[in-house]
């Protein structure tokens, strides 16, 4: 079973890593693509501004009825002006017919204009560069009063943009695997957290099944033994036949109580439905229960004292289940109290809580046993385990209290008795 939990934990961690890792990779790729587009758009805008500055410096003259550009005063293209920007790889001017008229820094491979708009080019001859030099080229028409004068073409190296994107790729290359590693560790941790309640539930179920099997094994063996004696020859069993049948009936009744208690615990797991609850007077209920247990206490010469408030204490509860819980606590107190002692049944209010206290002068409970006193089939020691019962009474009482939104606590000192407190939310009228 431990391997099954480990396998389930690995599967949870694997699927968590795959799902979250896929989201991370898609997110990183989207970030990279959007960043490239944004930076390239900014780069193109800057390049276009430079081109427009150059185009704005062009002067025109009318020759033979046609406008002729004067490029001498154009930044970079002009012979008498300073370069507009040393980062510009080249600048070229084409006539309105698309023929090369002037260029700066780099001569084009063709004398005829072939492209328009933005274009990314790889510089063919860059022997000193560790990687190919990329250029961003812009070619746009220059017009004067709607008349096409020529075409201006400039190009700028993409080195700065490449370096920025290289850094971003390096960051993503290192960051994404680290992120996947963290996701895997988180998935493994979350898998452990998710499996913990299942493991605890399985352990409780395993413990419950083991105890139930152990408790049922003894009465079944007794029934089998008495039944086998009943199959012996009549002469051998006449004297003890009735006694054996009575023992079978007694054992069977005990098994019936155990099965009933187990069914009760199984059916009333969790909070009760609101339609099963009703507003009841807890003072009246405790008074009626005290009368009922008084006869049981008299058989052990134990006196049951009842201390109740004068006014009604209202709670929302299932009266049958709540009565079962109080009866279990009272029976438990009577069972472990010495003869001629007293058991006190008391009802008080503490803030918004109604508290039923059951005090006894019995043997008490050791401190190391208190954390387990409400566990199913738990019995403290040999003295208590020799008594009748299967160790389910307190577990049932606690489950009923929790089903009503309340709780049961216990204070005990060995040799001086115990005090069980059943606290329920009190309703104010």
């Amino acid at each position: 079973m431990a391997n099954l939990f480990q396998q389930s934990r690995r599967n949870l961690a694997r699927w968590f890593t795959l799902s979250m890792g896929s989201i991370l990779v898609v997110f990183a790729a989207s970030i990279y693509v959007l960043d490239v587009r944004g930076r390239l758009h900014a780069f193109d805008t800057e390049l276009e501004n430079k081109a427009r500055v150059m185009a704005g410096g062009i002067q025109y003259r009318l020759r033979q009825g046609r406008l002729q550009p004067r490029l001498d005063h154009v930044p970079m293209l002009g012979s008498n002006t300073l370069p507009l920007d040393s980062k510009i790889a080249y600048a070229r001017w084409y006539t309105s017919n698309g023929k090369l008229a002037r260029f700066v820094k780099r001569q084009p491979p063709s004398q005829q204009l072939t492209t328009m708009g933005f274009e990314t080019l790889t510089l063919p001859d860059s022997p000193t560069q560790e990687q190919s030099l990329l250029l961003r080229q812009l070619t746009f028409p220059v017009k004067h009063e709607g008349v096409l004068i020529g075409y201006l073409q400039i190009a700028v190296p993409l080195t700065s943009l490449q370096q920025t994107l290289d850094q971003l790729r390096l960051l993503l290359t290192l960051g994404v695997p680290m992120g996947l590693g963290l996701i895997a560790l988180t998935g493994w941790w979350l898998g452990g957290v998710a499996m913990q309640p299942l493991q605890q539930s399985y352990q409780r179920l395993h413990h419950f099944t083991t105890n139930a099997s152990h408790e049922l094994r003894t009465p079944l063996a007794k029934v089998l033994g008495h039944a086998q004696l009943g199959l012996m020859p009549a002469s051998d069993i006449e004297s003890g036949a009735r006694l054996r049948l009575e023992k079978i009936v007694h054992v069977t009744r005990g098994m019936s109580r155990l099965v009933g208690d187990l069914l009760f615990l199984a059916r009333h797991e969790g909070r009760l439905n609101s339609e099963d609850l009703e507003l009841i007077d807890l003072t009246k209920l405790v008074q009626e229960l005290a009368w009922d247990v008084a006869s049981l206490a008299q058989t052990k010469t134990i006196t049951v004292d009842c201390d109740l408030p004068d006014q009604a204490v209202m709670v929302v509860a299932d009266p049958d289940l709540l009565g079962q819980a109080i009866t279990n606590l009272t029976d438990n107190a009577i069972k472990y109290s010495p003869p001629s002692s007293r058991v006190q049944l008391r009802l008080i209010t503490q803030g918004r809580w109604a508290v039923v206290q059951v005090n006894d002068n019995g043997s008490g409970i050791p401190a190391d046993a208190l954390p387990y006193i409400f566990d199913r089939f738990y019995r403290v020691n040999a003295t208590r385990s020799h008594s009748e019962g299967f160790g389910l009474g307190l577990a049932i009482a606690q489950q009923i209290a929790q089903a009503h939104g309340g709780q049961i606590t216990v204070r005990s000192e060995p040799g001086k008795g115990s005090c069980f407190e059943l606290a329920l939310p009190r309703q104010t009228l």
Side-chain angles (χ1 to χ4, degrees):
M1 185 56 67
N3 292 333
L4 179 60
F5 284 117
Q6 288 296 321
Q7 183 179 359
S8 300
R9 183 179 183 181
R10 285 194 294 271
N11 289 334
L12 286 173
R14 184 181 300 113
W15 282 109
F16 180 81
T17 303
L18 288 175
S19 57
M20 296 302 296
S22 300
I23 294 175
L24 176 64
V25 171
V26 172
F27 179 75
S30 301
I31 289 293
Y32 180 76
V33 171
L34 293 176
D35 189 76
V36 169
R37 289 182 178 179
R39 292 181 183 277
L40 187 59
H41 177 72
F43 194 89
D44 289 345
T45 302
E46 183 179 359
L47 178 59
E48 185 177 1
N49 291 335
K50 291 178 180 179
R52 292 190 181 280
V53 170
M54 293 179 63
I58 299 176
Q59 297 179 359
Y60 311 93
R61 60 185 174 184
L62 188 60
R63 176 180 293 181
Q64 297 178 354
R66 300 181 58 186
L67 285 174
Q68 296 291 331
R70 300 177 63 182
L71 303 176
D72 293 340
H73 300 286
V74 178
M76 284 203 70
L77 282 175
S79 57
N80 298 324
T81 60
L82 294 174
L84 177 66
D85 191 338
S86 59
K87 294 182 179 179
I88 294 180
Y90 56 81
R92 297 162 185 168
W93 177 260
Y94 292 87
T95 64
S96 59
N97 296 327
K99 293 183 179 179
L100 181 64
R102 182 177 294 188
F103 67 91
V104 175
K105 289 190 176 181
R106 183 173 295 275
Q107 184 176 3
S110 173
Q111 299 297 311
Q112 190 69 29
L113 181 62
T114 57
T115 60
M116 294 292 294
F118 291 101
E119 185 179 12
T120 300
L121 305 173
T122 302
L123 198 63
D125 49 348
S126 54
T128 59
Q129 302 292 332
E130 295 181 356
Q131 60 182 8
S132 299
L133 179 62
L134 296 179
L135 299 177
R136 189 65 171 172
Q137 174 183 283
L138 172 60
T139 305
F140 76 101
V142 179
K143 297 180 180 179
H144 178 72
E145 297 179 351
V147 179
L148 180 63
I149 305 302
Y151 298 92
L152 179 62
Q153 183 179 74
I154 63 173
V156 176
L158 284 168
T159 306
S160 60
L161 182 60
Q162 281 183 284
Q163 292 175 347
T164 302
L165 295 180
D166 288 343
Q167 293 176 355
L168 178 60
R169 281 196 297 271
L170 177 62
L171 178 63
L172 294 177
T173 302
L174 296 177
V176 169
M178 292 177 62
L180 290 175
L182 291 176
I183 288 174
L185 292 176
T186 304
W188 178 256
W189 177 74
L190 290 177
V193 173
M195 295 303 300
Q196 190 173 6
L198 296 177
Q199 284 183 296
Q200 293 175 349
S201 177
Y202 169 76
Q203 290 173 354
R204 286 197 298 268
L205 178 62
H206 178 71
H207 184 68
F208 174 80
T209 304
T210 302
N211 288 332
S213 301
H214 176 75
E215 295 293 342
L216 287 171
R217 183 183 302 168
T218 301
L220 284 174
K222 291 180 179 179
V223 171
L224 179 61
H226 289 294
Q228 288 174 337
L229 288 175
L231 293 175
M232 295 177 66
S235 57
D236 297 336
I237 63 172
E238 284 181 355
S239 57
R242 182 174 181 81
L243 177 60
R244 295 189 185 96
L245 290 176
E246 290 177 348
K247 287 185 175 296
I248 290 176
V249 171
H250 177 73
V251 173
T252 304
R253 284 176 177 170
M255 293 174 61
S256 178
R257 287 200 306 272
L258 174 59
V259 173
D261 290 344
L262 295 177
L263 285 175
F264 183 92
L265 290 169
R267 288 173 177 172
H268 297 87
E269 192 81 33
R271 294 293 298 269
L272 297 173
N273 296 324
S274 57
E275 56 267 23
D276 296 331
L277 304 177
E278 58 183 275
L279 187 64
I280 62 173
D281 182 2
L282 189 56
T283 304
K284 184 177 179 181
L285 177 64
V286 173
Q287 179 66 73
E288 294 174 352
L289 293 174
W291 291 337
D292 293 339
V293 299
S295 58
L296 173 63
Q298 288 176 357
T299 60
K300 294 184 65 177
T301 64
I302 294 175
T303 302
V304 177
D305 295 332
C306 196
D307 183 7
L308 302 176
D310 296 331
Q311 70 279 10
V313 177
M314 307 305 294
V315 295
V316 175
D318 183 319
D320 295 333
L321 292 179
L322 187 56
Q324 178 69 47
I326 298 174
T327 300
N328 285 4
L329 295 178
T330 310
D331 287 347
N332 192 68
I334 294 174
K335 186 183 301 179
Y336 298 111
S337 293
S340 304
S341 61
R342 291 180 176 275
V343 170
Q344 185 183 44
L345 191 58
R346 187 182 180 203
L347 174 60
I348 59 175
T349 58
Q350 294 178 347
R352 66 182 187 89
W353 296 95
V355 181
V356 178
Q357 293 181 340
V358 180
N359 296 280
D360 67 68
N361 299 315
S363 57
I365 305 170
D368 57 352
L370 287 177
Y372 312 102
I373 195 66
F374 295 105
D375 289 354
R376 298 172 183 179
F377 297 108
Y378 183 80
R379 281 169 290 192
V380 177
N381 51 37
T383 302
R384 298 176 80 93
S385 62
H386 286 164
S387 303
E388 293 183 356
F390 300 100
L392 293 176
L394 293 179
I396 291 175
Q398 186 189 51
Q399 186 165 318
I400 292 174
Q402 293 174 345
H404 287 82
Q407 61 181 358
I408 295 181
T409 56
V410 58
R411 302 189 306 274
S412 184
E413 186 174 351
K416 295 184 179 180
S418 304
C419 175
F420 286 86
E421 289 188 347
L422 168 60
L424 297 170
R426 184 164 63 97
Q427 300 296 315
T428 56
L429 299 178

